[in-house]
Amino acid sequence: MARYLFTSHDGFGLGHVRRNTLVARALLDADPAAEITIVTGLAVRPTWAGLAAMHVVQVPPLLKDSTGSYRTEEMTFDEAVELRTRLFDDVVAELAPDVVVVDRHPYGVAGELRPGLDRAAGQGAALVLGLRDILDEAGTVRRELAGAGWHGAAELYDRVLVYGERVLCDQEAEYGLPVTPHYCGWVVDRVEPGERDRRLLVVTGGGGGDGDDVYRLGLDVTELLPQLRTVLVAGPYTSSVLTDRLAGERGGRVRVLRNTSDCAALMTRAGAVIQMAGYNSTLEALAAGVRPILVPRRAPRREQAIRAVRLAAMDVADVVDEQVSPEELSWLLARPRVLPAEALDTAGIRLDGAARAAAAIRELVPAVVESPRLGSGTAG
């Protein structure tokens, strides 16, 4: 029985743990006998997480604020890091995983994964690093790669997966990534097509921690266009005061869904979607066949803005800033919002990343002891 251990820092949004659970679910689809353990600092348990078949180890959350700094709620930062370090190392010692999959930061936010990763490698585990399609603007990423948070990572990790395609971002060329990664395609849940309702507008701010401007824009355009029926998809970090107050002012044409498990299914029925440009919700919209109107976050990282502009250049999305007028939004809403069937293929966007990532991870299980490190000249 293969044993897999997934971990992510889960700092502000939900994308990290979402990717981990989708890849883990694909592993279970391929091998139902596999044992999956998820280490997460996510302070809430989304209904979509699908963790019932997985063992979950909760560690103290490190939540990122709007400046990019991390904070904790019940202990000091140093105490949280120390506890996360101990818990992760304990899990590795007890589980003796065949493969450890780390999302985004090679050693965690503050190096808390390093002791456990060293232990895992010493036990013969293969180590996999998963990176999202866009990390940040190139200069910022190059500085990060040159820092302590990446020192020795090329020698430690057996394989680096990019949950995207080179057509959107060539991470070796753009960032100077010190390894040749394996591009898997985008990791997103696929749902069956629904019957379109051209009057249905879906507005989502992802996890919701910084989505207030997107919700306001959706509500403003709803007020301007009386034919719309709007659904606000409120993530677990969305301000309840904001959504309840604004939704209550629209005469019953606005409905708020909290922590819903079927946002992707809702998008398959929507006539239009206005949203932030985070990894998960953006790819859900594309998978649902919608040309989304993206309102990207530009701080503390510019990842969303870069993703939005590049997808717009690939002619599968539109992008606006948070200062856009309701009139401009209404003009965009009047344009066709459903993607042509061939649009994603033409753009080179493949949405089978979970299955392809799972296949790349499973390849490492039979040869975890003999597998050479990336630093020896091989690459995934």
Side-chain angles (χ1 to χ4, degrees), residues 49-115:
L51 300 177
M54 308 169 199
H55 178 55
V56 179
V57 176
Q58 185 76 43
V59 297
L62 296 177
L63 303 176
K64 188 185 295 184
D65 62 24
S66 59
T67 69
S69 300
Y70 286 90
R71 61 180 174 83
T72 58
E73 296 183 336
E74 298 181 355
M75 60 187 74
T76 68
F77 180 84
D78 289 343
E79 289 171 340
V81 169
E82 181 180 355
L83 183 53
R84 286 166 69 101
T85 301
R86 187 169 70 252
L87 289 171
F88 181 70
D89 190 42
D90 288 347
V91 171
V92 171
E94 180 180 352
L95 181 65
D98 295 307
V99 184
V100 179
V101 183
V102 176
D103 192 275
R104 178 61 180 91
H105 294 289
Y107 306 122
V109 171
E112 70 271 17
L113 300 181
R114 189 60 196 255

Side-chain angles (χ1 to χ4, degrees), residues 128-143:
V128 176
L129 178 65
L131 303 175
R132 65 175 177 244
D133 54 352
I134 301 287
L135 299 181
D136 203 342
E137 56 188 355
T140 299
V141 178
R142 286 179 177 271
R143 289 190 294 273

Side-chain angles (χ1 to χ4, degrees), residues 145-185:
L145 292 175
W150 274 78
H151 182 69
E155 291 73 35
L156 182 66
Y157 278 91
D158 297 271
R159 181 163 291 180
V160 175
L161 306 179
V162 173
Y163 301 134
E165 294 286 359
R166 202 185 300 269
V167 66
L168 191 72
C169 179
D170 184 330
Q171 298 203 6
E172 287 178 277
E174 189 164 337
Y175 301 149
L177 197 70
V179 299
T180 299
H182 179 90
Y183 289 85
C184 300

